Amino acid sequence: MTKAELVKEISQTTGTDSVTILSVIERFMSEVKSSLERGDEVTLRSFGTFCLKHRAEKVARNLSLNTSMVIPEHDIPSFKPSTEFLKRLK
């Protein structure tokens, strides 16, 4: 499902105009990104948690050039679904 499809679906089920729904979704995504940038987690009960995972520095190989390269340590965003969400998918 794309963002446009999500906006259309929520708009139809709630009776709210799509411009308002789009601005709410954009604001939600902006707040999640801002929280992760600050190092905070975003937890939505019965849905899941958005968090950062730390990756250590490692050496990788560029196979086309046959060289080694160092990938510096970094954080990546992650989503951990709640147990209720996982049960619903099964």
Side-chain angles (χ1 to χ4, degrees):
M1 177 178 272
T2 64
K3 188 181 349 177
E5 293 169 338
L6 182 63
V7 168
K8 183 179 176 184
E9 184 68 30
I10 294 172
S11 177
Q12 288 175 350
T13 56
T14 62
T16 307
D17 64 304
S18 59
V19 174
T20 303
I21 299 298
L22 179 61
S23 66
V24 169
I25 291 173
E26 289 287 342
R27 187 67 186 148
F28 170 76
M29 292 188 317
S30 173
E31 285 300 317
V32 169
K33 290 175 190 175
S34 296
S35 294
L36 291 178
E37 286 173 358
R38 289 190 307 269
D40 299 335
E41 291 185 349
V42 177
T43 302
L44 303 171
R45 293 213 182 261
S46 71
F47 185 69
T49 301
F50 296 93
C51 59
L52 288 178
K53 289 190 176 182
H54 184 74
R55 298 287 187 236
E57 182 180 277
K58 65 180 181 179
V59 177
R61 302 263 321 146
N62 183 341
L63 297 176
S64 63
L65 299 176
N66 196 25
T67 59
S68 296
M69 58 187 347
V70 175
I71 298 175
E73 64 179 44
H74 60 281
D75 294 325
I76 60 166
S78 176
F79 175 74
K80 181 180 178 193
S82 70
T83 54
E84 292 177 32
F85 184 31
L86 289 174
K87 285 179 186 176
R88 192 166 175 188
L89 292 177
K90 289 183 181 180

